[in-house]
Amino acid sequence: MSGGVDSSVTAKLLADQDYDLSAVFMRNWDTRDETGTDSGCEWKKDWEDVQRVCQLLDIPCEMVDLSREYWTRVFEPALELWESGSTPNPDIWCNREVKFGALMDHLVAKDAWLATGHYADKTWARPSLNLSNLFAYDKIPSRPQLRRPMDRTKDQTYYLAAVPESSLARALFPLARYQKAEVREMAQKWGLPTASREESMGICFVGEKRKFDDFISQYITPKPGPIIDLTDGRTVGRHHGLYTFTIGQNARVKGMPQKMFVAGKDTTQNVLYVVPGSTHPLLYSSSIIVNKWKWIWENMPPAEIDSGKGFLAQVQYRHRMLDVPCRVFRQDNGTMRIDFRSPQNSVATGQVAAIWKRDWCLGCGIISKTHSASPQT
């Protein structure tokens, strides 16, 4: 439980059923590492809300400190990507490494299941029938499939795309069939203490009240450099660190006739490249190279990825974007090349690219390179 309305309603739905139920609250960030004190910590309010809900529902709860695991498995790798000029997504790796990793390991009962308030779904299915399994198909066990939920506007399967099959098999997503508005209504009807609590939208270690630049500058030394207009080579401003920008972002360059948007970074020269307008051709990519790929069914990727035509799928490289058609090819070095059917705007290295076969999420990896769709490059 997180202290939010979604996990609170999840707890109530399960408490009304015949489960041996207990709640766990993860403390993933230790603010003493930054300030030397716990004064004013957001996690304390979250933990208080969890306890209030659990007291109402008469279920036991405990807090588990996973801040060390979060630091080493999520935050340090993210810092390395920011320092290299890329744009990481820590929330995806938090789910894989901490919530469905370290927390799963913490569960005493190895047959225990982990229910969360994610808007996602899960089904069970056997692999596709083919010549190699034709005569033993009835003996092949079903495997878990990560599916999109009913409420597509709240869909969080992108954040779960790196969760391994062994953890997904023990996961429950009770909100899969509900709309967010229904969840709010149920919380109010049941008188849950978190019924009117606003959603948390910030990265967990930054929070919502702090600016990202101010936070991350505590860990990465600011390195000022020039901002150059990629269309004519003019220096149009100065930046305080490449890590404070991502591809497609408004660079907020003063004194320009129109808004300038980030089109590239040169980490060797410490240069930030910008172009005029948010739809400039230099902001579009035709394909991407993705490394550190994680298939949810690790030993059974789609056979078509090794064919000349590739695997026809849908790809998502940001949360809350509509997935787009693509073809996926496995390269000789093990990386994936994903070709977009149509050029895509503002694709950044470090972001996670996840693929779907209709509403079935198959896996994801980290974008290591983008190929421009513009003939100007």
Side-chain angles (χ1 to χ4, degrees):
M1 294 181 68
S2 65
V5 65
D6 295 326
S7 61
S8 298
V9 169
T10 295
K12 170 63 175 172
L13 290 170
L14 295 175
D16 288 345
Q17 301 179 52
D18 189 21
Y19 285 104
D20 180 10
L21 189 64
S22 61
V24 62
F25 171 81
M26 297 189 308
R27 181 185 177 186
N28 290 342
W29 189 255
D30 193 340
T31 50
R32 289 171 296 188
D33 293 334
E34 302 173 60
T35 63
T37 176
D38 270 348
S39 178
C41 293
E42 292 186 17
W43 72 263
K44 286 190 174 182
K45 173 66 165 61
D46 296 337
W47 173 228
E48 289 171 1
D49 284 344
V50 167
Q51 293 177 92
R52 291 165 63 203
V53 172
C54 289
Q55 184 176 12
L56 179 68
L57 300 180
D58 193 27
I59 58 176
C61 62
E62 67 168 320
M63 178 173 65
V64 179
D65 189 342
L66 297 173
S67 55
R68 184 181 299 275
E69 289 83 352
Y70 188 92
W71 180 277
T72 57
R73 299 190 197 181
V74 180
F75 186 63
E76 285 187 335
L79 271 183
E80 291 176 4
L81 284 171
W82 274 310
E83 287 184 294
S84 71
S86 295
T87 304
N89 192 320
D91 292 336
I92 290 178
W93 306 112
C94 175
N95 279 323
R96 177 183 174 87
E97 298 294 337
V98 182
K99 184 172 291 184
F100 290 93
L103 181 60
M104 279 282 195
D105 295 339
H106 172 82
L107 298 178
V108 176
K110 295 307 177 184
D111 59 348
W113 290 53
L114 182 66
T116 74
H118 285 104
Y119 287 85
D121 200 1
K122 185 183 78 173
T123 58
W124 292 84
R126 290 191 181 118
S128 299
L129 183 66
N130 55 51
L131 289 176
S132 65
N133 62 29
L134 178 62
F135 298 105
Y137 193 70
D138 290 341
K139 298 180 181 179
I140 296 176
S142 295
R143 304 176 73 167
Q145 296 180 327
L146 179 63
R147 299 275 185 173
R148 294 195 186 276
M150 180 176 291
D151 190 343
R152 291 295 295 271
T153 64
K154 302 302 296 183
D155 181 8
Q156 293 174 306
T157 50
Y158 175 72
Y159 287 127
L160 298 168
V163 171
E165 180 182 2
S166 58
S167 296
L168 182 62
R170 297 167 60 193
L172 291 174
F173 305 115
L175 301 187
R177 302 302 177 191
Y178 295 101
Q179 301 285 334
K180 178 70 178 194
E182 293 179 284
V183 171
R184 285 280 185 197
E185 290 171 3
M186 287 188 290
Q188 292 167 355
K189 180 180 68 174
W190 294 327
L192 298 181
T194 55
S196 59
R197 180 166 173 170
E198 294 182 2
E199 285 190 85
S200 175
M201 302 298 289
I203 299 174
C204 71
F205 51 78
V206 180
E208 299 180 62
K209 297 178 182 179
R210 291 190 288 184
K211 289 185 178 180
F212 172 79
D213 295 359
D214 295 338
F215 168 80
I216 208 69
S217 63
Q218 299 176 74
Y219 300 92
I220 301 176
T221 303
K223 187 179 179 182
I227 301 176
I228 295 178
D229 186 337
L230 195 53
T231 62
D232 58 18
R234 289 185 303 126
T235 298
V236 295
R238 299 278 294 175
H239 67 81
H240 296 290
L242 295 178
Y243 62 86
T244 63
F245 293 93
T246 189
I247 303 300
Q249 178 183 345
N250 181 355
R252 302 189 183 280
V253 180
K254 296 180 180 179
M256 301 299 291
Q258 65 183 114
K259 293 179 179 180
M260 306 295 287
F261 291 81
V262 179
K265 303 177 184 180
D266 183 337
T267 54
T268 303
Q269 301 296 322
N270 196 32
V271 174
L272 185 74
Y273 290 106
V274 296
V275 293
S278 61
T279 58
H280 192 281
L282 289 171
L283 291 173
Y284 287 83
S285 300
S286 59
S287 65
I288 53 178
I289 303 300
V290 186
N291 63 15
K292 298 183 179 179
W293 190 270
K294 308 291 185 184
W295 294 106
I296 295 179
W297 288 9
E298 189 174 4
N299 65 342
M300 196 172 290
E304 297 93 329
I305 61 173
D306 294 318
S307 69
K309 292 184 177 181
F311 174 59
L312 182 62
Q314 299 88 44
V315 64
Q316 192 175 328
Y317 52 88
R318 276 196 302 267
H319 177 48
R320 288 187 175 173
M321 68 169 282
L322 294 176
D323 55 38
V324 295
C326 68
R327 288 189 181 273
V328 184
F329 302 83
R330 179 158 56 186
Q331 303 195 116
D332 292 340
N333 62 1
T335 62
M336 300 292 168
R337 189 186 88 234
I338 299 179
D339 295 348
F340 302 124
R341 179 178 293 177
S342 57
Q344 295 299 303
N345 192 316
S346 305
V347 187
T349 59
Q351 289 177 318
V352 170
I355 62 169
W356 279 258
K357 183 178 181 180
R358 292 182 289 276
D359 73 336
W360 174 21
C361 183
L362 303 181
C364 68
I366 299 175
I367 300 173
S368 59
K369 188 176 182 180
T370 63
H371 295 136
S372 177
S374 173
Q376 298 179 38
T377 56

